[in-house]
C-alpha cells in the first residue's frame, strides 16, 4: 500500500483517538503501526502531518507496538528516520527522539541486549552534551531545543530504569559546573544521584567513584553503555515520597550506605552545587529538585539537612503550591533537624494564611487545608495517619478557616471538618470557653444549612450539602452528646418542615454510627407518627417509617398505620404501607400487627396488596420470631438490590431454600473395622461450626458399588467429640474407588446449607473380609481345601513382596493379621481373603529372604491380579 | 511527580452527554511506572469516553433527575479537596485532580509512586501539587486574553505543541505555557547559558520598569449588632521590567503613609530572592498590635521577561471606603426600599465609574417602579428584576446619597428566574461596584526613587495605582441566625 494522503491520515488518526482499543481490534488496527513508521519517511506527506503521526506514537506506543520485539523494531525505525533527515531545519527531530524513547520504554525493550537502546543512549548523551558527533542533528539553530529534548529523554529513561545513568554522575556534575542549560541538567543529576544512592545503599556498598569519575561515558570509540548500576538496581522503581512508609521498607534505608569521609564531602558538594542553582529553575522544577534531594538525603549519614536552609526562607515567601508542598516534603523528611519549633510555627502560619488567601484559587485553599490537617509535626501527639489540627495551630489561627454559608459546598465541608476537629478537642480550662463558642458557631452553621435544605423549592444540592454536613459532624463528634442532641432535634425539625427529604434521612441513618442513629431514629419515628396519616406527605412518612419503626412505640405506630391505610388509595402507597408492616414483622412486633394485616388483607383494593398482607399474616402466624427475622432480614447472599421486591425474595430464598455454602466440616477415613458381612468404612467427622440435622450423601464413581444410603447425624459441635460413622459398602466388583460426598445441614441461624466435601478414597484393602475362622487345629486343611476348590477355574501367580526393616512377622501381623489362616513363623503363612461380592484371594507367604518374600497367590477372579500385585508390592511402604 | 494523563473537558449543560473532551494527552512511559509502583492496586487510564462520563458524574455535572440517588447524593460521599476517585468499570481511578472553571473541567491523574491501597495521604504525593500547577498553567493560558470561542479553539489547537515543550514525558518543566509559546517563536534565537529557565530570551532596548498596584476591596456590611461587618483589601503588585543583561537585579520597595494599615499575608513571586522576616511573619490570622511592621517592604528579585505579579497582599483598613444602609419593607405585592450610601472623607472622590446593583430574587419581573434618587440615575431592568443605580464620577459635597422607591412585581416564573437559596424573604443585598484610578485604599505606593537596579542602565520607571470594585451588602438577615 502506498502512503496515505494527509486527509486519509487525519481521518485515520481521528478514528483511532475516538476509541483506540476498538480501532486496534478493527481491520485497520494491525497495520497502523507499520504504516505510520513507513509513511514517516514518505516525501509526499507534509512535516505537520508527520508531527501528528509522531504525536500519536508518543501517546500510544503500547497500543501500536505492544511487545518488546515490535517496540525495538519501531525505535530502530524511528532512529533510522532521524538519521535520514536532510540537514536542513526540520520540526521532526525533537518528536522523533521523544517517540523513540517512548516506544522503547513503553514496549519494555530498554535493556543491554537491545540494539536500539545501544544506539539511542549514546546519541542522547552526545546531543545533550552539545556534541554533534555525526553532524546529523540539523542546523545550529536547532541545537538548543534538541539539547533540551535529549536531556528530557535521558531523564525519562533514568526514571523508568533507575541506575541507567549512574555511570555518568561524575560527568553530569562536571557539566553543571560549566555552561549549558541549567534546569534539565540539574534535574537529571538529582534524579540519577538519588537512584544511585538508593541502589548502592541497597547493595550495602559505597559510592565508589560515582561522583568523581568524570569521563564521558561513551567517549573514546565504540565503548558500550555501562549497565552495571541499572542491573544492580534490578530495574526496580523506588517510591519517592520521603515520608512514605514503603520507602522505609527493608529497614536499612540509606543509612546502609558505606561512605568514606571523602565521598561524604563530594556528595555534600554535589548537593550544594544543585541547591545553588535551584533559583534558576522554574518553580515546578525547583519543587521536583527538592523532593528528589529530600528523598535522596533522608537518613544519609554525614549529610546535614542544613544545606537546605538558605532555600527555605526564599521559598516560604511564595504562595506557589508546588514549592510549599516541597517544603512540607522536606519537613516530613528531616523534621526537627531542619525545622526548629519556631520554624514549624512560621511554616504553619504561612500555610494557614495561604489556605485562605484571597489571591489564591479555591482548589489551592483546599489542598493547603488538607496539608494543615496532615501536617508533619516535629512531635506529633495523635496517632499517625489520622487527620487533626497540629498542636501549634490554635483556635485563634483558625478563625479565618471557619465555615460560612456563603461558601461553595466543597469548601464549606472542608472548613466544617476543621471546625469539627477543633470542637472535638478536650482542652484545658482556659481553652474550654473557646471550644464552647466554636460549638455554638457549629450549631449556627448547621442550623443555617438545615434552613436552606428546608426550602420547598430549594435545589437538591442544598439538601445534599446539609446531610453531608450532618454526617461529617456525627462522625467527627460522635463522643459529644450535646452536639448530637441538638443535631438530632434540628434534623427532626427539618423532617417536619420537608418530609420529601425522607430518602436523605434514610441514607443518613444507614451511614452514621449508632451514637446518632438511635436517637435520630426515635426522634424521626415520633415526628412521623404524631402527624396524621392523611396529609400529602404520606408517601414520605411511610418510607421513613419503614426505616425507623421498631418495637418501641409500637402502639402509636400501628395506630398511625391504621389511620394511613384508609388513605392508601394507590398501589404504590399500599406497597409502602406493607413495607412498614414488613419491618415491624422483622423487628418482632406481633400484638396488634396481626389485626392490622388482617384488616389490610380484606380491605385493600389492589389484589397485590391483599396478597402481600395475607402472606405477612401467614408468616406472622406460622413462623417463630427468629425465623421471621431471618426470612425478612437483609439477604447475605447477594448485595442488596434497589428493588424491594427482589430484596424481599432474596430474604425468603435465603431462609426457606437450601443455600450453597463452603464445607463446614471435615471428613476423613479412620482405621479399618471388620464388622458384619460387608466391608465397612469408618468415617471421622470434624465440624467447623455447630451443625444440625446433618445429612451426608455419597455417590460412588463408576457404579462399582451399590448406591450408598445417606447418613444422618442430629447435631455436631466443634470441640465436642463426635462418634465415628460406619458406612457399609456393597461392591459389585472388588475394586477400589472414590466416594463423592455432599452434606446438607442447618446452621444455628436457621439456614439450610448444602456443601460439597472433598472425595473419600476407598482402597483395595478396605474391601478385604476374613473367612469364618476354622476350628482350632483345622486351619491348614481348611486352607488347602479352599486352595483346591479355587484351582480349577482360578489364576495362579507369584509376586515378590519387598520387606522393610520391620521384618516379615511384624508385617503380616500388622497388615494381614485378621486374614491369616495358618501361621508357622517364620517360614510360612497362609492367608485367605474374601473379596466381596464373591471372589477369593489366597496367599502363601514363604520364608523371608534378605530383602523380601516370595508370595504365591491364587484367586478365582483374574481381574484383581494387578490390584493384588500393587497391593503386595506396596505392603511394606504403607505405614 | 509525573502525570499519567491530562484532560480538558468542556461542560455543556442541557446537552445529551453534558460535555465534550476537548483535549487529552496520555503519558505511556509514566503509565509503565504506575503499573510497577501501584502493583495490585493499579487501575489503567480509561479511554476518553468512559472518563468523560465518570468525571461529569463525580463532579455532579450531569443533568439528571431531581430524585435522590444514593451513588451520587449519599451523605457519606464527602470530598474536601479537588482530588477525586472516578468509578470506571468496577475499579476506582484515584487520584484524579480536577476542577471546573468557566465551564471547562481541568483534570489530571498524577503518578503515585507507591501502592494505592491503603490510600496514601495527598500530602505525601508529589504529583498532586504538580498536577495543580499544570492545570493552573493550562487554565491561565486558555483564559488569558481569550474573548470568544474561536480564540479558545486556536488556543486549544496550540496545546499539544505546548505540552510537547513543557511536559514532554508527563513531568512538568514549566507551568507558564505562554512562556513556552514565546520560546517556540524565538526558537532560532540562541539563549545564553546560565539563564534562568523561567526567563525567555533577552531584552535589547531602553531600560524600562513599570509597576502597578491594584487593590480590590471586598466588603460585607450586615448592619446588624451580632454580626461584624467585614472589609478586606487585596492588593496585587504587577511589574514589567524591560532590562538588558541576563540576570539584572532589581529591588522594589513598597511604602505606606504614616499610620497606614500594614500589609499582611504577603505572597511573593518565586523570582524574589529573599524576604525580610518581618515581611514573612506579617499576617492577618493573628491579632496585630501597634508595633506591627509597616514597611518599607523590600522585594529584591531578578525579573522574568514577561509582566508578572511581584506580590499579593491583604490589608485591614480601619473603615470601609463607602458605608451602606439598605432597608426593605414588604407590603403585599409591593416592596418599599431605601438605600443610603456614604463615601468616607479620606477616600478620593473621583471615580472612573461607580454603580450600585440592587437585585430582587425569587420574585417575578418588575412591573412598576416609583423612585426618588438624591443623586445619579436609576436604570430598571424589568425582566432581570434588577435596579442599577449609576452614581457616576463623583459623590456630591455632602458625600451622602439616598435612593428610595416602591417596586411592584409580577407573577413569578421559575423557568426564567432561577431559585436563589440565600436571598429569601427579607434577605437581600445591594452590590456596589466602583473603580478609582491613581489611588490605593491602603495608601501603599512604590516610590520611584526606591527602585534599585543593578547591572543595567538607569531605567525609566512608571507607576500606576488602581482601586477596583467593592462589594457592599445591605442586609443579609436570616443568615447565621
Amino acid at each position: 500500500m502506498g502512503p496515505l494522503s494527509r486527509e486519509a491520515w487525519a481521518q485515520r488518526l481521528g478514528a483511532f483517538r475516538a476509541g483506540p482499543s476498538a480501532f486496534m481490534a478493527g481491520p485497520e488496527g494491525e497495520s497502523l503501526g507499520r504504516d505510520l513508521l513507513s509513511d514517516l519517511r514518505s516525501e509526499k506527506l507534509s512535516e505537520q502531518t508527520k508531527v501528528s503521526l509522531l504525536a500519536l506514537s508518543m501517546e500510544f506506543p503500547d497500543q501500536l507496538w505492544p511487545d518488546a520485539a515490535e517496540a525495538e523494531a519501531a525505535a530502530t525505525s524511528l532512529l533510522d528516520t532521524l538519521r535520514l533527515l536532510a540537514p536542513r531545519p526540520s520540526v521532526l527531530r525533537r518528536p522523533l527522539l521523544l517517540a523513540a524513547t517512548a516506544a522503547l520504554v513503553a514496549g519494555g525493550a530498554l535493556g543491554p541486549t537491545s540494539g536500539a537502546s545501544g544506539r539511542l543512549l549514546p546519541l542522547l548523551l552526545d546531543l545533550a552534551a552539545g556534541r554533534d558527533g555525526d553532524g546529523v542533528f540539523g542546523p545550529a539553530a536547532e541545537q538548543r531545543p534538541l539539547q533540551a529534548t535529549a536531556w528530557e529523554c535521558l531523564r525519562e529513561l533514568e526514571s523508568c530504569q533507575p541506575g541507567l545513568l549512574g555511570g555518568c554522575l561524575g560527568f553530569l556534575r562536571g557539566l553543571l559546573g560549566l555552561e549549558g542549560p541549567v534546569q534539565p541538567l540539574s534535574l537529571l543529576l538529582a534524579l540519577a544521584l538519588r537512584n544511585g544512592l538508593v541502589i548502592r545503599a541497597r547493595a550495602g556498598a559505597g559510592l565508589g567513584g560515582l561522583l568523581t569519575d568524570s569521563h564521558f561515558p561513551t567517549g573514546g570509540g565504540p565503548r558500550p553503555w555501562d549497565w552495571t548500576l541499572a542491573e544492580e538496581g534490578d530495574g526496580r522503581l523506588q517510591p519517592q515520597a520521603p515520608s512514605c512508609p514503603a520507602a522505609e521498607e527493608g529497614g536499612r534505608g540509606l543509612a546502609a550506605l558505606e561512605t568514606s569521609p571523602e565521598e561524604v564531602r563530594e556528595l555534600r558538594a554535589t548537593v550544594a552545587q544543585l541547591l545553588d542553582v535551584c533559583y534558576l529553575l522554574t518553580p515546578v522544577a525547583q519543587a521536583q529538585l527538592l523532593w528528589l534531594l529530600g528523598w535522596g538525603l533522608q537518613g544519609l549519614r554525614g549529610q546535614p539537612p542544613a544545606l537546605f536552609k538558605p532555600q527555605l526562607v526564599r521559598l516560604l515567601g511564595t504562595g506557589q503550591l508546588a514549592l510549599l508542598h516541597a517544603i512540607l516534603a522536606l519537613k516530613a523528611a528531616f523534621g526537627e533537624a531542619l525545622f526548629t519549633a519556631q520554624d514549624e510555627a512560621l511554616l504553619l502560619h504561612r500555610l494557614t494564611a495561604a489556605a485562605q488567601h484571597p489571591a489564591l484559587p479555591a482548589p489551592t485553599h483546599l489542598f493547603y487545608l488538607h496539608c494543615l490537617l496532615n501536617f508533619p509535626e516535629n512531635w506529633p501527639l495523635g496517632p499517625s495517619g489520622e487527620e487533626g489540627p497540629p498542636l501549634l495551630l490554635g483556635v485563634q489561627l483558625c478563625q479565618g478557616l471557619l465555615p460560612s454559608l456563603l461558601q461553595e459546598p466543597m469548601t464549606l465541608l472542608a472548613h466544617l471538618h476543621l471546625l469539627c476537629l477543633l470542637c472535638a478537642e478536650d482542652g484545658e480550662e482556659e481553652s474550654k470557653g473557646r471550644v464552647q463558642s466554636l460549638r455554638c458557631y457549629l450549631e449556627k452553621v448547621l442550623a443555617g444549612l438545615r434552613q436552606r435544605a428546608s426550602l420547598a423549592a430549594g435545589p437538591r444540592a442544598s439538601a445534599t450539602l446539609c446531610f453531608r454536613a450532618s454526617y461529617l459532624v456525627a462522625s467527627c463528634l460522635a463522643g459529644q452528646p450535646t452536639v448530637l442532641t441538638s443535631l438530632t432535634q434540628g434534623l427532626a425539625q427539618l423532617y417536619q418542615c420537608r418530609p420529601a427529604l425522607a430518602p436523605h434521612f434514610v441514607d443518613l441513618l444507614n451511614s452514621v454510627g449508632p451514637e446518632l442513629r438511635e436517637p435520630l431514629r426515635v426522634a424521626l419515628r415520633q415526628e412521623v407518627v404524631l402527624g396524621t396519616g392523611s396529609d400529602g406527605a404520606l408517601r414520605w412518612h411511610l418510607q421513613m417509617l419503614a426505616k425507623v419503626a421498631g418495637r418501641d412505640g409500637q402502639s402509636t405506630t400501628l395506630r398511625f398505620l391504621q389511620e394511613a391505610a384508609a388513605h392508601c388509595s394507590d398501589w404504590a402507597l399500599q406497597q409502602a404501607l406493607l413495607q412498614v408492616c414488613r419491618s415491624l414483622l422483622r423487628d418482632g412486633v406481633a400484638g396488634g400487627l396481626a389485626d392490622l394485616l388482617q384488616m389490610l388483607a380484606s380491605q385493600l383494593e389492589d389484589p397485590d396488596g391483599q396478597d402481600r398482607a395475607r402472606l405477612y399474616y401467614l408468616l406472622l402466624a406460622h413462623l417463630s420470631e427468629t425465623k421471621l427475622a431471618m426470612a425478612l432480614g437483609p439477604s447475605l447472599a447477594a448485595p442488596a438490590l434497589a428493588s424491594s421486591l427482589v430484596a424481599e425474595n432474596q430474604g425468603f430464598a435465603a431462609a426457606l431454600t437450601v443455600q450453597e455454602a463452603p464445607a463446614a466440616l471435615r471428613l476423613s477415613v479412620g482405621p479399618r473395622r471388620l464388622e458384619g458381612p460387608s466391608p465397612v468404612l469408618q468415617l471421622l467427622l470434624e465440624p467447623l461450626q455447630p451443625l444440625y440435622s446433618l445429612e451426608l450423601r455419597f455417590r460412588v464413581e463408576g457404579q462399582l458399588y451399590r448406591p450408598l444410603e445417606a447418613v444422618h447425624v442430629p447435631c455436631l459441635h466443634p470441640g465436642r467429640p463426635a462418634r465415628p460413622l460406619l458406612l457399609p459398602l456393597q461392591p459389585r466388583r472388588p475394586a477400589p474407588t472414590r466416594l463423592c460426598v455432599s452434606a446438607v445441614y442447618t446452621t444455628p441461624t436457621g439456614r439450610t446449607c448444602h456443601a460439597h466435601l472433598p472425595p473419600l478414597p476407598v482402597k483395595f484393602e478396605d474391601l478385604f473380609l476374613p473367612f469364618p475362622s476354622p476350628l482350632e487345629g483345622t486351619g491348614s486343611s481348611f486352607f488347602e481345601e479352599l486352595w483346591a476348590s479355587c484351582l480349577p477355574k482360578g489364576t495362579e501367580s507369584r509376586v515378590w513382596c519387598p520387606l522393610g526393616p520391620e521384618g516379615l512377622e511384624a508385617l503380616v501381623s500388622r497388615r494381614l493379621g485378621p486374614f491369616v489362616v495358618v501361621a508357622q513363623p517364620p517360614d510360612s503363612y497362609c492367608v485367605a481373603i474374601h473379596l466381596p461380592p464373591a471372589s477369593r484371594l489366597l496367599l502363601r507367604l514363604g520364608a523371608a529372604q534378605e530383602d523380601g518374600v516370595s508370595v504365591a497367590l491364587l484367586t478365582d477372579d483374574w481381574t484383581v491380579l494387578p490390584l493384588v500385585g500393587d497391593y503386595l508390592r506396596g505392603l511394606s511402604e504403607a505405614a | 511527580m509525573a502525570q499519567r494523563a491530562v484532560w480538558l473537558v468542556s461542560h455543556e449543560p442541557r446537552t445529551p452527554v453534558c460535555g465534550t473532551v476537548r483535549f487529552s494527552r496520555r503519558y505511556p512511559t509514566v503509565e509503565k511506572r504506575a503499573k510497577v509502583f501501584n502493583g495490585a492496586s493499579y487501575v489503567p487510564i480509561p479511554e476518553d469516553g468512559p472518563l468523560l462520563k465518570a468525571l461529569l458524574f463525580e463532579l455532579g455535572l450531569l443533568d439528571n433527575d431531581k430524585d435522590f440517588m444514593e451513588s451520587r447524593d449519599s451523605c457519606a460521599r464527602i470530598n474536601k479537596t479537588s482530588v477525586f476517585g472516578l468509578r470506571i468499570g468496577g475499579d476506582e481511578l484515584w487520584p484524579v485532580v480536577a476542577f471546573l472553571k468557566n465551564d471547562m473541567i481541568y483534570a489530571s491523574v498524577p503518578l503515585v509512586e507507591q501502592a494505592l491501597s491503603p490510600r496514601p495521604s495527598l500530602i505525601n504525593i508529589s504529583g498532586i501539587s504538580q498536577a495543580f500547577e499544570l492545570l493552573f498553567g493550562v487554565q491561565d493560558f486558555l483564559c488569558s486574553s481569550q474573548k470568544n470561542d474561536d480564540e479558545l479553539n486556536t488556543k486549544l489547537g496550540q496545546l499539544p505543541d505546548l505540552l510537547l515543550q513543557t511536559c514532554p514525558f508527563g513531568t512538568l518543566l514549566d507551568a507558564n505555557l505562554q512562556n513556552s509559546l514565546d520560546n517556540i517563536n524565538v526558537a532560532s534565537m540562541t539563549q545564553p547559558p546560565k539563564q534562568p529557565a523561567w526567563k525567555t530570551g533577552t531584552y535589547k532596548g531602553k531600560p524600562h520598569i513599570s509597576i502597578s498596584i491594584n487593590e480590590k476591596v471586598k466588603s460585607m456590611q450586615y448592619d446588624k449588632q451580632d454580626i461584624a461587618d467585614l472589609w478586606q483589601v487585596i492588593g496585587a503588585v504587577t511589574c514589567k521590567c524591560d532590562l538588558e543583561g541576563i540576570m539584572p537585579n532589581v529591588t522594589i520597595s513598597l511604602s505606606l503613609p504614616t499610620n497606614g494599615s500594614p500589609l499582611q499575608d504577603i505572597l511573593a513571586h518565586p523570582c524574589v530572592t529573599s524576604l525580610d522576616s518581618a515581611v514573612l511573619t506579617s499576617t492577618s490570622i493573628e491579632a496585630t498590635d501597634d508595633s506591627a511592621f509597616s514597611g518599607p517592604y523590600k522585594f529584591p528579585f531578578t525579573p522574568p521577561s514577561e509582566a508578572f505579579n511581584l506580590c499579593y497582599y491583604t490589608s485591614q483598613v480601619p473603615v470601609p471606603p463607602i458605608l451602606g444602609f439598605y432597608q426593605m419593607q414588604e407590603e403585599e405585592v409591593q416592596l418599599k426600599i431605601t438605600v443610603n450610601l456614604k463615601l468616607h472623607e479620606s477616600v478620593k472622590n473621583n471615580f472612573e465609574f461607580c454603580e450600585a446593583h440592587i437585585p430582587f430574587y425569587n420574585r417575578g419581573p418588575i412591573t412598576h417602579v416609583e423612585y426618588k434618587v438624591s443623586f445619579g440615575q436609576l436604570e430598571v431592568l424589568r425582566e432581570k428584576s434588577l435596579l442599577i443605580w449609576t452614581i457616576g464620577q463623583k459623590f456630591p459635597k455632602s458625600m451622602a446619597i439616598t435612593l428610595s422607591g416602591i417596586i411592584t412585581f409580577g407573577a413569578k416564573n421559575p423557568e426564567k428566574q432561577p431559585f436563589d437559596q440565600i436571598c429569601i424573604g427579607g434577605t437581600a443585598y445591594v452590590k456596589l461596584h466602583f473603580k478609582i484610578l491613581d489611588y490605593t485604599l491602603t495608601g501603599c505606593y512604590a516610590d520611584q526613587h526606591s527602585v534599585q537596579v543593578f547591572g543595567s542602565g538607569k531605567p525609566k520607571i512608571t507607576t500606576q495605582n488602581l482601586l477596583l470594585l467593592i462589594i457592599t451588602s445591605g442586609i443579609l438577615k436570616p443568615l447565621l441566625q
Side-chain angles (χ1 to χ4, degrees), chain A residues 57-234:
Chain A
S57 50
M58 272 179 256
E59 225 179 317
F60 298 97
D62 45 343
Q63 308 239 10
L64 295 171
W65 310 293
D67 61 46
E70 283 179 87
E72 166 83 15
T76 310
S77 168
L78 290 166
L79 287 174
D80 288 341
T81 309
L82 177 67
R83 187 163 286 273
L84 291 172
L85 285 181
R88 57 166 188 264
S90 164
V91 291
L92 295 181
R93 290 191 178 86
R94 295 187 59 238
L96 275 169
L97 280 178
L98 296 170
T101 308
L104 268 185
V105 172
L110 185 67
T113 54
S114 142
S117 310
R119 280 174 66 189
L120 180 67
L121 284 165
L123 172 68
L124 289 175
L125 207 59
D126 271 337
L127 278 172
R131 303 185 187 198
D132 188 351
D134 311 10
V136 294
F137 308 128
E142 270 184 58
Q143 288 296 316
R144 282 213 171 259
L146 261 187
Q147 191 178 12
T149 305
W151 284 122
E152 279 321 303
C153 291
L154 284 172
R155 181 149 73 111
E156 194 61 16
L157 291 169
E158 171 72 27
S159 297
C160 295
Q161 182 86 38
L164 187 65
L165 290 164
C168 311
L169 274 173
F171 169 70
L172 294 174
R173 215 188 129 196
L175 274 188
L176 191 63
L178 305 171
E179 60 175 37
V182 178
Q183 175 163 312
L185 185 54
S186 17
L187 288 177
L188 177 61
L189 178 56
L191 179 68
L193 180 67
R194 187 205 69 142
N195 287 344
L197 288 173
V198 173
I199 293 170
R200 281 296 163 92
R202 214 185 303 137
L207 281 175
L210 278 188
L211 286 170
T212 41
D213 190 3
S214 63
H215 68 81
F216 189 64
T218 55
R223 228 175 88 176
W225 190 265
D226 180 7
W227 289 86
T228 12
L229 204 60
E231 282 170 350
E232 239 178 82
D234 204 12

Side-chain angles (χ1 to χ4, degrees), chain A residues 17 19-21 58-62 94 98 101-102 105-108 141 144 152-153 155-156 159-160 176 178-180 182-183 237-241 243-245 279-285 287-288 291-292 313-314 316-323 325 328 346 349-350 352-353 356-361 363-364 366-367 370-371 374 376 387 396-397 405-406 410 413-414 417 444-445 451-452 455 457-460 462 464 467-468 471-472 503-504 507-508 511, chain B residues 1 24-30 32-33 36-37 47-48 64-68 70 72-82 84 99 113-114 121-130 132-133 136 161 164-165 168-169 171-175 187-188 190-198 218 220 222 232 234 247 264-275 279-287 301-302 312-314 419 421-422 424 476 478-481:
Chain A
R17 281 186 179 276
S21 51
M58 272 179 256
E59 225 179 317
F60 298 97
D62 45 343
R94 295 187 59 238
L98 296 170
T101 308
V105 172
R144 282 213 171 259
E152 279 321 303
C153 291
R155 181 149 73 111
E156 194 61 16
S159 297
C160 295
L176 191 63
L178 305 171
E179 60 175 37
V182 178
Q183 175 163 312
L237 299 163
Q238 286 298 307
Q240 286 183 352
S243 57
C244 134
Y279 172 71
L280 299 176
L281 274 51
T282 60
V284 285
Q288 291 164 21
W291 276 89
L292 285 172
V313 181
R314 178 174 67 81
L316 270 177
T318 75
Q320 193 103 21
L321 190 60
L323 291 176
H325 194 196
L328 289 169
L346 175 64
H349 271 79
R350 294 295 297 181
T352 314
Q356 52 188 299
H357 202 291
L360 298 175
T364 309
L366 294 178
F367 184 67
H370 170 88
C371 291
N374 293 274
E387 291 200 324
Q396 176 64 32
L397 290 189
L405 292 177
L406 297 174
M410 205 186 330
L413 286 173
H417 183 216
K444 276 187 185 173
V445 172
Q451 192 188 17
R452 262 200 245 170
L455 297 170
R460 191 188 62 227
S462 60
T464 312
F467 283 90
R468 286 188 177 151
Y471 172 77
L472 198 59
H504 287 274
D507 172 57
L508 182 69
S511 309
Chain B
M1 47 194 77
S24 72
R25 174 81 163 93
R26 287 163 175 73
Y27 292 102
T29 51
V30 184
K32 187 100 184 156
R33 300 210 285 281
V36 178
F37 282 130
E47 291 188 359
D48 287 357
N64 29 32
D65 59 301
K66 283 187 168 175
D67 287 343
F68 175 84
E70 193 184 330
R72 179 191 60 199
D73 304 320
S74 173
C75 60
R77 284 170 50 89
I78 295 179
N79 247 320
K80 298 187 294 266
T81 56
S82 308
F84 302 88
F99 56 85
E113 305 186 18
Q114 64 189 90
S121 169
L122 296 182
I123 194 175
N124 294 331
I125 305 173
S126 59
I128 296 282
S129 53
Q130 297 275 328
F132 276 118
E133 296 283 4
F136 290 147
D161 267 357
L164 203 58
Q165 298 275 335
F169 284 111
T171 308
L172 186 61
L173 304 178
D174 190 356
S188 57
T190 51
Q191 284 191 354
K194 290 286 179 218
Q195 171 149 357
W198 34 265
K218 279 190 179 175
M220 307 271 266
Y222 299 94
Q232 187 183 35
I234 306 135
M247 287 185 65
Q264 297 171 324
D265 304 332
I266 296 169
L267 300 179
H269 190 270
C271 73
V272 174
T273 47
S274 66
L275 280 178
V279 174
L280 267 183
T281 49
S282 164
T283 169
S284 65
I285 56 176
E286 261 184 329
F301 61 96
T302 298
Y312 297 100
Y313 59 83
T314 67
F419 180 78
Q421 45 178 336
I422 294 174
I424 304 154
L476 275 165
L479 283 182
L480 285 186
Q481 268 186 350

Side-chain angles (χ1 to χ4, degrees), chain B residues 176 179 182 210 212 237-242 269 303-310:
Chain B
N176 188 339
N179 240 348
D182 300 343
S210 70
S212 73
V237 181
T238 313
C239 283
K240 173 89 169 84
C241 303
D242 295 324
H269 190 270
S305 321
E306 72 279 0
F308 68 102
N309 286 315
L310 179 65

Side-chain angles (χ1 to χ4, degrees), chain A residues 457-713:
Chain A
R460 191 188 62 227
S462 60
T464 312
L465 179 62
C466 171
F467 283 90
R468 286 188 177 151
S470 306
Y471 172 77
L472 198 59
V473 172
S475 43
C476 292
L477 298 173
Q480 311 274 351
T482 46
V483 177
L484 293 186
T485 309
S486 83
L487 183 63
T488 309
Q489 285 166 356
L491 285 169
Q493 275 169 14
L494 175 61
Y495 181 77
Q496 196 183 29
C497 292
R498 203 176 165 198
L501 295 177
H504 287 274
F505 278 99
V506 173
D507 172 57
L508 182 69
L509 286 166
N510 286 335
S511 309
V512 291
E515 298 84 359
L516 180 66
R517 193 192 307 129
E518 232 359 74
L520 182 60
R521 188 187 68 76
V522 172
L524 286 172
R525 187 182 52 72
Q526 283 167 352
E527 208 58 62
V528 173
V529 298
L530 287 182
T532 62
S534 60
D535 62 358
L538 185 56
R539 173 183 161 212
W540 303 120
H541 290 330
L542 290 173
Q543 186 177 359
M544 198 70 248
L545 213 48
K547 178 73 199 166
V548 299
R551 274 173 185 253
D552 50 337
Q554 44 179 294
S555 57
T556 45
T557 308
L558 288 170
R559 200 165 50 238
F560 174 83
L561 290 177
Q562 245 152 8
E563 202 178 316
H567 304 280
C568 289
S569 46
D570 68 354
W571 183 87
L573 281 177
Q574 290 175 12
Q575 293 297 319
L577 180 72
L578 286 161
Q579 194 65 23
V580 184
C581 295
R582 180 180 187 278
S583 42
L584 288 174
L585 269 180
R586 195 185 52 208
D587 289 341
V589 174
L593 184 59
D595 298 341
L596 175 68
L597 286 170
Q598 229 171 358
M599 182 194 96
L600 291 176
S602 60
Q603 280 185 7
L604 290 182
E605 291 159 17
D606 190 272
D608 258 4
Q610 284 178 11
D611 288 350
R612 199 170 163 191
R614 204 166 293 132
L615 171 66
Y616 285 165
Y617 180 74
L618 288 174
L619 287 173
L620 181 62
H622 289 90
L623 291 185
S624 69
E625 199 175 301
T626 43
K627 194 84 179 172
L628 199 56
M630 188 82 54
L632 297 167
S635 158
L636 300 173
L641 290 177
S643 155
S644 68
L645 290 177
V646 175
E648 188 156 298
N649 268 334
Q650 279 176 346
F652 281 124
L656 304 178
T657 63
V658 178
Q659 305 275 299
E660 204 58 46
L665 80 161
R666 274 198 281 270
L667 199 60
S668 55
V669 180
R672 277 224 53 188
R673 284 174 74 151
L674 294 169
E675 283 176 11
S678 59
V680 171
L681 220 48
Q682 179 170 232
L683 300 179
L684 304 179
L685 298 172
E686 191 190 336
L688 304 175
Q689 63 178 65
L691 303 176
Y692 299 101
S693 314
L694 172 68
E695 178 180 307
L696 289 171
R697 296 171 183 173
F698 303 91
R699 191 173 58 80
V700 186
E701 278 186 358
Q703 299 198 328
L704 290 169
Y705 304 172
R706 281 178 200 286
L708 299 174
E709 299 267 314
V711 180
H712 296 271
V713 183

Side-chain angles (χ1 to χ4, degrees), chain B residues 119-353:
Chain B
R119 271 191 190 174
S121 169
L122 296 182
I123 194 175
N124 294 331
I125 305 173
S126 59
I128 296 282
S129 53
Q130 297 275 328
F132 276 118
E133 296 283 4
L134 171 62
L135 298 178
F136 290 147
V138 173
Q139 184 201 328
D140 284 348
F141 172 70
L142 290 186
C143 296
S144 65
S145 74
Q146 172 221 319
K147 287 176 195 72
N148 54 35
D149 273 2
D150 285 345
E151 280 182 51
L152 177 67
N153 287 335
T154 316
K155 292 208 161 186
L156 282 171
Q158 289 170 331
L159 262 189
D161 267 357
L162 280 181
L163 284 193
L164 203 58
Q165 298 275 335
T166 57
C167 197
F169 284 111
T171 308
L172 186 61
L173 304 178
D174 190 356
N176 188 339
L177 301 195
Q178 190 64 45
N179 240 348
S180 304
L181 188 66
D182 300 343
N183 240 341
I184 299 178
N185 296 340
V186 294
S188 57
M189 209 174 78
T190 51
Q191 284 191 354
K194 290 286 179 218
Q195 171 149 357
W198 34 265
K199 187 167 181 177
T200 49
T202 42
Y203 175 77
K204 292 262 181 289
K206 282 188 180 167
H208 181 204
I209 295 177
S210 70
I211 307 162
S212 73
I213 303 175
N214 299 329
E215 285 187 353
K216 281 184 189 179
V217 52
K218 279 190 179 175
S219 172
M220 307 271 266
Q221 297 172 23
Y222 299 94
D223 196 22
K224 279 178 73 74
Q225 293 261 313
D226 54 339
I227 308 176
D229 291 351
L230 300 172
W231 59 94
Q232 187 183 35
V233 179
I234 306 135
V237 181
T238 313
C239 283
K240 173 89 169 84
C241 303
D242 295 324
L243 298 170
E244 291 191 346
I246 302 167
M247 287 185 65
N249 283 320
V250 183
T251 302
I252 289 179
S253 304
L254 299 180
S255 309
L256 292 173
T258 354
N259 295 332
S261 315
L263 306 187
Q264 297 171 324
D265 304 332
I266 296 169
L267 300 179
H269 190 270
C271 73
V272 174
T273 47
S274 66
L275 280 178
D276 246 16
S277 61
V279 174
L280 267 183
T281 49
S282 164
T283 169
S284 65
I285 56 176
E286 261 184 329
T288 47
D289 47 23
D290 292 341
S291 63
F293 179 69
S294 60
Y297 303 85
K298 281 193 179 183
F299 296 92
F301 61 96
T302 298
S305 321
E306 72 279 0
F308 68 102
N309 286 315
L310 179 65
C311 71
Y312 297 100
Y313 59 83
T314 67
S315 183
Q316 192 62 57
V317 292
V319 283
I322 297 176
L323 261 179
F325 169 80
Y326 183 26
Q327 201 176 44
M328 194 164 86
Q329 274 180 310
E330 192 148 16
E331 289 172 2
E332 292 175 6
V333 290
Q334 287 188 334
L335 264 190
K336 254 173 118 174
I337 60 163
T338 314
V339 182
N340 297 335
L341 297 175
K342 187 170 188 315
L343 181 68
H344 194 266
E345 60 216 2
S346 65
V347 178
K348 180 176 168 184
N349 188 4
N350 189 358
F351 296 81
E352 191 177 75
F353 67 84

